[in-house]
Amino acid sequence: MKKYILYFMTALFLLGATGCSKNSEPSSPKPQAQGAVPQDMATMVEPIDALMRCMLENNTDYDATDPEFFWSALYYFLGNSGAENSLVTVTDDGRLKVPKKVAQEYAIALFATYDDLLPLPESLSNSITYDKDWDAYLLSQGDRGLSETNLSDYRETENGYVITAKLVSTMEDKEVLGKCQVTMQKNAFADGIVDPRYFYSIATMTKEEGFAPPTQTASAVFNGLVDGHTVEMTLEDGTIQAFQFYDETVSEKLHNMKEKDAFSFVYSTDEEAGAFTILEIK
């Protein structure tokens, strides 16, 4: 059920540019801050929601120094919440035109260590582009789909708050798709922004529930199959290691390999069970 919800949610996000005017905004539910949340912190559910989706759907950790994560998170944030900004317009082909200063304001809310916009990675060139003449970014409008982010259990710190964020299915089961602990601090740039919407910046976002184990890439030499779902291989450092596999494509490739064939692969680690699982063979 969780995979279906995330897949459908991602598909809706990528197709969100169907509406060609600001009057046809997505009808999906907006994230809501629950409980006794201070008034100046209520809007922070929007950047938190964007980060939750980005981290869940791309299986990444919060990392303000990684250009790909930086822009992926900003893409989610602007795509879902940017249309509400009065300076953002919609092009004839339905894309959002986001002035650079608006992108900067939203990036500040996502990353407390913000200093400047990081270089836009080539890997995201199909999703977001920069127009020099307009000094603006062009991207598709998003749709939150079948889930929403709720905030709860906040506690005040010297310079902000620590709060619990949950991405919850809006279907009948109300399944919790992901849970994070979020640390926020006061927005250091708020005084320099005209009519600021976000009075805090996110400093850390730690995964707690619902996230898949992080993936890694490695190279190895094929030694042979131990059984129908286990392969033995020699890694680059000379270590002999057994890996599990369950994906049909992975299984087919491994069953067609010969001893001493070299290959690269993507795998995940279950630290509690001490198991390694191959997810993809390159």
Side-chain angles (χ1 to χ4, degrees), residues 146-165:
L146 302 175
S147 62
E148 62 184 358
T149 292
N150 299 323
L151 305 183
S152 60
D153 304 326
Y154 82 95
R155 54 189 175 85
E156 191 170 2
T157 64
E158 183 176 350
N159 193 37
Y161 294 90
V162 174
I163 196 164
T164 297

Side-chain angles (χ1 to χ4, degrees), residues 12-262:
L12 287 175
F13 182 86
L14 295 176
L15 295 175
T18 303
C20 295
S21 69
K22 291 187 78 170
N23 291 329
S24 57
E25 296 178 0
S27 59
S28 54
K30 294 182 180 181
Q32 298 294 324
Q34 295 183 338
V37 176
Q39 185 175 0
D40 69 347
M41 196 186 72
T43 56
M44 289 305 296
V45 69
E46 297 168 3
I48 292 172
D49 178 78
L51 286 166
M52 288 282 286
R53 295 173 191 279
C54 182
M55 292 165 65
L56 264 171
E57 294 172 19
N58 299 288
N59 193 25
T60 53
D61 292 324
Y62 179 88
D63 186 354
T65 65
D66 178 10
E68 187 158 352
F69 179 78
F70 181 99
W71 278 102
S72 293
L74 189 52
Y75 174 64
Y76 278 71
F77 189 14
L78 290 170
N80 276 331
S81 302
E84 298 175 12
N85 190 294
S86 61
L87 298 178
V88 175
T89 57
V90 180
T91 63
D92 291 339
D93 60 358
R95 291 181 297 170
L96 295 179
K97 185 169 72 174
V98 181
K100 184 176 180 179
K101 65 179 182 180
V102 174
Q104 292 171 324
E105 178 183 353
Y106 281 51
I108 290 167
L110 290 171
F111 306 108
T113 56
Y114 174 88
D115 180 53
D116 197 359
L117 294 174
L118 298 183
L120 185 60
E122 180 65 26
S123 59
L124 296 177
S125 60
N126 291 329
S127 301
I128 182 168
T129 58
Y130 173 71
D131 189 294
K132 185 177 180 180
D133 294 334
W134 286 336
D135 192 24
Y137 294 93
L138 300 173
L139 66 151
S140 301
Q141 295 188 67
D143 192 323
R144 295 185 179 92
L146 302 175
S147 62
E148 62 184 358
T149 292
N150 299 323
L151 305 183
S152 60
D153 304 326
Y154 82 95
R155 54 189 175 85
E156 191 170 2
T157 64
E158 183 176 350
N159 193 37
Y161 294 90
V162 174
I163 196 164
T164 297
K166 294 179 181 178
L167 185 65
V168 181
S169 167
T170 56
M171 299 178 72
E172 188 175 351
D173 60 4
K174 300 297 182 183
E175 181 181 8
V176 176
L177 305 174
K179 177 182 175 183
C180 285
Q181 184 179 86
V182 185
T183 301
M184 293 178 292
Q185 61 189 48
K186 292 180 180 178
N187 185 340
F189 296 87
D191 291 342
I193 299 173
V194 177
D195 193 21
R197 179 172 177 80
Y198 306 106
F199 293 93
Y200 295 86
S201 298
I202 297 167
T204 63
M205 194 150 172
T206 306
K207 299 175 180 177
E208 292 190 343
E209 294 178 14
F211 292 86
T215 61
Q216 301 179 61
T217 301
S219 297
V221 172
F222 180 79
N223 294 338
L225 297 174
V226 178
D227 56 41
H229 292 287
T230 309
V231 59
E232 183 185 276
M233 61 184 76
T234 302
L235 302 176
E236 289 182 303
D237 62 2
T239 302
I240 297 176
Q241 181 67 55
F243 285 77
Q244 307 296 311
F245 59 91
Y246 303 98
D247 181 84
E248 290 184 6
T249 302
V250 170
S251 177
E252 182 179 356
K253 289 182 178 180
L254 288 173
H255 277 83
N256 288 328
M257 281 189 186
K258 298 179 181 179
E259 189 175 351
K260 296 188 178 179
D261 280 352

